[in-house]
Amino acid sequence: MPSSELRPLEFGWYLPTHGDTTAYGVPEAEVAGSPELCERVVSAAEQAGFECLLIPVGLTCWEAWIAGAFMAARSARIKPLIAARPGYINPVLLAKMISTFDQMSGGRICVNLIAGQNESEVEGEGVRYPKEQRYALMEEEVSILKALWTARGPVNFAGRFHTLSNVHIRPRPLQQPYPKFYLGGGSREAWEMSAKHSDVHLFWGDLPERIAQNVGEIRSLAGAHGREHEIGFGMRLQLICREDERDAWEAADRLVRHATERQKQQIKTLYSRSVANQRVQELAREYGDLLLPHLWTGISKVRPGAGIAVVGNPAQCAGMLQEFINAGCHSFCLSGYLHDEEAERFGRLVRPILAENNRGRLAA
């Protein structure tokens, strides 16, 4: 691997504002979303050494910017990773929100670019652009954000969706030139967007050799913008780690064994236009429950997006993550059930192995 690709490893965790569970379809196993749940997860994630905190969006989730601001105020180091969704917030207001957040938190904000997985949800919330246009709108809005944060004078912009005249904002971001951008997506539009604007392109679970191939393709696209050495790559994965492998597989099975057919069908239909979700479902059909001995597709039956999990004992989980590191990924956004308990296990059991095996790239 070229030395330019040996970036420091970073690990992020997930904040389940919508609630938590150890068994989909079992009411007694559910933990309702609450400020107390959020504080437990954030505290566990920060103590485990996670650098950033993915805050979800969607109908069942609490509002991400408000939740992220409160959690930044209740923590010391972790950076909320919050979605900028095209068409939801005027880009001038969004630029001020992000730079204000950055200043207020001491430089602790990252931006997650999301075009939207569920078409009916996006339409129901009043965004009338189809997905292809949302990527064009996203490109325009990110260009506006970056211009507002870096221009020396007022910004003028005449685009397909937005027209701005003599705009300037205060404050500027604390992070220079601006906070990091992340994007997860499997479509060509997502890849093109990352190639031009993202600091990290996040893949959902896949085979390591496919990830290595995708890294090469997106890096080539980034080269057209002079960014082949600027863009980085990562994985969005679930984690189910126990000290004994049998306990890990029991926890994995318990998580999905009681899911209803209605839940499973919703995942297949509501997210059918998402290319990344299509790939996850394709892998599940082709390989069944196991892509590799410790890479499990089971959660894809009950959850959109990050439905592929690393399962096993600490050495096995670290070994599977290492395969993705070797494929060219330096950034990982993980989650697991229950989120506070799984974060603690990662920090105690898995992170030290990765630190030892990647000396100089991850603090022990």
Side-chain angles (χ1 to χ4, degrees):
M1 183 183 294
S3 60
S4 62
E5 296 179 28
L6 292 178
R7 302 181 179 208
L9 299 178
E10 65 174 18
F11 289 87
W13 197 244
Y14 177 87
L15 184 67
T17 60
H18 46 79
D20 213 342
T21 188
T22 55
Y24 281 92
V26 179
E28 296 78 17
E30 295 176 2
V31 179
S34 68
E36 293 75 21
L37 170 63
C38 290
E39 293 208 22
R40 287 199 305 273
V41 172
V42 172
S43 176
E46 193 161 76
Q47 290 179 35
F50 287 101
E51 288 95 339
C52 60
L53 184 73
L54 176 62
I55 302 181
V57 294
L59 288 176
T60 62
C61 303
W62 293 25
E63 202 287 309
W65 286 97
I66 300 299
F70 270 87
M71 290 303 100
R74 285 165 165 74
S75 56
R77 298 178 307 279
I78 203 163
K79 289 185 175 185
L81 171 57
I82 309 180
R85 295 189 286 173
Y88 278 81
I89 302 175
N90 175 282
V92 178
L93 174 60
L94 184 59
K96 288 179 70 74
M97 286 170 56
I98 294 170
S99 57
T100 300
F101 194 122
D102 201 41
Q103 289 284 351
M104 288 288 194
S105 65
R108 292 194 293 133
I109 183 66
C110 305
V111 183
N112 191 22
L113 300 174
I114 298 179
Q117 298 182 57
N118 183 338
E119 293 302 303
S120 62
E121 181 176 306
V122 172
E123 292 171 4
E125 292 175 343
V127 177
R128 298 304 180 191
Y129 304 105
K131 191 165 188 177
E132 295 74 18
Q133 290 186 31
R134 291 202 302 275
Y135 273 111
L137 175 58
M138 178 189 287
E139 200 286 325
E140 196 166 296
E141 293 186 348
V142 173
S143 296
I144 290 171
L145 295 180
K146 290 183 174 181
L148 289 170
W149 290 331
T150 59
R152 294 190 175 185
V155 171
N156 295 284
F157 187 92
R160 176 180 171 189
F161 303 96
H162 294 286
T163 301
L164 308 178
S165 179
N166 295 318
V167 179
H168 59 87
I169 64 165
R170 292 290 183 273
R172 296 294 182 92
L174 182 61
Q175 299 177 81
Q176 290 296 311
Y178 35 71
K180 287 171 65 174
F181 284 87
Y182 293 70
L183 187 151
S187 68
R188 189 71 179 185
E189 294 93 341
W191 287 16
E192 291 280 4
M193 185 70 190
S194 272
K196 187 172 183 180
H197 285 296
S198 293
D199 295 281
V200 177
H201 184 90
L202 286 170
F203 301 105
W204 292 348
D206 210 315
L207 297 167
E209 57 266 30
R210 176 67 173 261
I211 296 300
Q213 177 186 339
N214 292 347
V215 164
E217 290 188 33
I218 298 176
R219 194 180 295 283
S220 295
L221 293 174
H225 304 286
R227 302 186 68 246
E228 65 268 35
H229 300 301
E230 293 181 30
I231 190 168
F233 300 92
M235 297 296 300
R236 174 75 180 97
L237 292 162
Q238 300 284 345
L239 181 72
I240 304 174
C241 182
R242 301 293 185 272
E243 295 189 54
D244 187 295
E245 182 186 1
R246 290 172 297 180
D247 294 337
W249 285 111
E250 169 57 26
D253 180 63
R254 183 168 62 250
L255 193 61
V256 301
R257 76 165 70 122
H258 298 292
T260 66
E261 289 303 316
R262 181 172 175 270
Q263 284 177 303
K264 296 176 183 178
Q265 191 58 40
Q266 279 185 330
I267 299 303
K268 292 180 180 179
T269 57
L270 291 178
Y271 304 92
S272 61
R273 289 193 60 194
S274 163
V275 174
N277 275 295
Q278 290 170 10
R279 175 60 179 166
V280 169
Q281 295 298 328
E282 174 190 335
L283 287 165
R285 288 192 301 271
E286 183 176 349
Y287 289 88
D289 284 348
L290 282 179
L291 300 180
L292 292 170
H294 301 286
L295 197 62
W296 181 60
T297 67
I299 300 176
S300 65
K301 300 172 185 176
V302 297
R303 186 196 192 285
I308 293 178
V310 174
V311 184
N313 64 36
Q316 291 163 341
C317 289
M320 188 67 253
L321 291 170
Q322 188 68 47
E323 291 195 40
F324 291 115
I325 294 171
N326 295 343
C329 294
H330 79 280
S331 180
F332 291 83
C333 187
L334 306 175
S335 52
Y337 307 84
L338 295 168
H339 284 74
D340 54 338
E341 296 177 4
E342 197 68 66
E344 186 277 333
R345 282 190 289 269
F346 175 85
R348 176 168 52 90
L349 300 172
V350 181
R351 187 183 177 98
I353 300 174
L354 292 169
E356 175 66 23
N357 293 340
N358 298 273
R359 292 192 175 188
R361 299 185 67 189
L362 179 65

